[in-house]
Amino acid sequence: MSPLAAALVTGATDGIGRATARRLAGLVDTLLIHGKRPAALEELARELAPANPGTTVVPLLADFTDLAQVEGLADAVLNRLEKLDLLINNAAIPGGQPGSSSRDGHEPAFQVNYLAPVLLTARLFGALNRGEAGKIVNLSCAQHRSVRFAWPNMWPAVAQHPKVAYARSKLALAVHTCSLAAALDGTDMSAVSVDPGAIETKLLRATFGFSGAPPAAGADHVLHAATTRQDVNGVYFEGKRRVRPAQDALRRDAQFQLDAVTMRLLSLRPPWTSSA
């Protein structure tokens, strides 16, 4: 990775995101770190900045359960930078209890884990496209294989188990990443998915009730996906191995269907459709 690169890590105040931010600091010229808790965000910035004097650390606050704040985060990035080389969509939450919803009326995990990163990617796409080889890294999870893409049940407007809600949000992100990668084929940009493994995080304990490997191990896998110079557009990394995602993620009909509904809900015209 170029030492002059600019990178944004969402969900940087805990777990894998925090470990990834620590690894990136010193490797990039400008590191933008996102979090939803002001105190934790400022604490991380105070930790990273003195230890990495060659990196400008920029803390950015936003709560992804409110899509207006996702828009505000994108505006803050664009006001700061003309180009962005790396976007790591790491922020995620467990599935909400049946019947719960975000401020925008969506199942919380579906909004935070899927709608928010799609919206952020779309709003920052122009800045990513101005980089030498802009890369989007979406964090996945093995649980995306535990559910099937089936409409209308895919869209979590009905009560469902929190584990199912979480898995569906990650399947949606996997489907989207494959669709986005197809649109970027032949360009200098790339989109990849990475399953960092079972890592000791608040989300892992809250969703599955067991512990995992240290967050630094997950960050190592994320950084591998983010910094490898090989042609990786559309690759699904499981750790550092290239594997196939769930078959549903590769279905073009599923990709088209999800894209259409997503863009309608977000009131967006996908900017990547004109990049190929």
Side-chain angles (χ1 to χ4, degrees):
M1 177 181 293
S2 164
L4 298 178
L8 167 61
V9 181
T10 68
T13 56
D14 287 301
I16 296 170
R18 189 182 186 96
T20 300
R22 285 171 170 162
R23 290 282 302 276
L24 277 173
L27 297 179
V28 296
D29 184 57
T30 302
L31 176 61
L32 302 106
I33 52 172
H34 154 261
K36 66 178 181 180
R37 293 180 293 119
L41 192 58
E42 291 299 331
E43 178 192 357
L44 179 59
R46 287 195 302 269
E47 172 196 328
L48 295 178
N52 302 278
T55 298
T56 300
V57 178
V58 182
L60 298 169
L61 187 67
D63 184 342
F64 283 6
T65 62
D66 181 357
L67 291 176
Q69 293 191 39
V70 180
E71 292 272 10
L73 173 62
D75 288 339
V77 174
L78 296 174
N79 288 337
R80 181 91 192 191
L81 300 169
E82 289 189 4
K83 67 176 185 176
L84 181 67
D85 298 88
L86 175 62
L87 169 60
I88 299 179
N89 284 313
N90 162 76
I93 61 172
Q97 293 300 315
S100 62
S101 64
S102 71
R103 297 176 197 177
D104 300 280
H106 308 295
E107 193 283 319
F110 206 84
Q111 175 162 321
V112 173
N113 304 352
Y114 172 65
L115 289 176
V118 174
L119 175 58
L120 187 61
T121 300
R123 291 280 280 108
L124 297 178
F125 190 80
L128 286 158
N129 201 20
R130 283 191 286 272
E132 262 187 40
K135 182 178 282 187
I136 300 122
V137 178
N138 291 329
L139 265 71
S140 187
C141 175
Q143 289 302 309
H144 89 277
R145 302 179 189 277
S146 68
V147 291
R148 294 299 308 274
F149 187 97
W151 222 262
N153 293 332
M154 180 66 195
W155 197 259
V158 295
Q160 57 189 286
H161 192 282
K163 288 183 181 178
V164 175
Y166 176 77
R168 284 181 171 157
S169 73
K170 288 300 184 178
L171 176 59
L173 191 59
V175 174
H176 165 74
T177 307
C178 289
S179 179
L180 176 57
L184 297 178
D185 193 35
T187 74
D188 292 330
M189 298 179 66
S190 59
V192 304
S193 294
V194 57
D195 173 5
I199 304 298
E200 180 63 38
T201 61
K202 294 177 183 177
L203 189 152
L204 184 74
R205 284 188 174 275
T207 304
F208 303 107
F210 58 84
S211 60
D220 187 49
H221 296 153
V222 173
L223 264 291
H224 174 78
T227 61
T228 181
R229 296 181 180 276
Q230 300 172 348
D231 180 13
V232 296
N233 185 43
V235 169
Y236 186 99
F237 288 96
E238 190 176 81
K240 295 180 181 179
R241 297 187 304 120
R242 300 183 183 207
V243 301
R244 289 171 65 87
Q247 185 60 37
D248 281 350
L250 303 173
R251 286 171 41 200
R252 290 299 285 164
D253 64 315
Q255 294 170 18
F256 292 143
Q257 190 174 36
L258 182 62
D259 284 347
V261 174
T262 302
M263 295 305 143
R264 185 166 69 246
L265 283 172
L266 295 176
S267 300
L268 284 178
R269 185 173 181 273
W272 40 81
T273 57
S274 60
S275 65

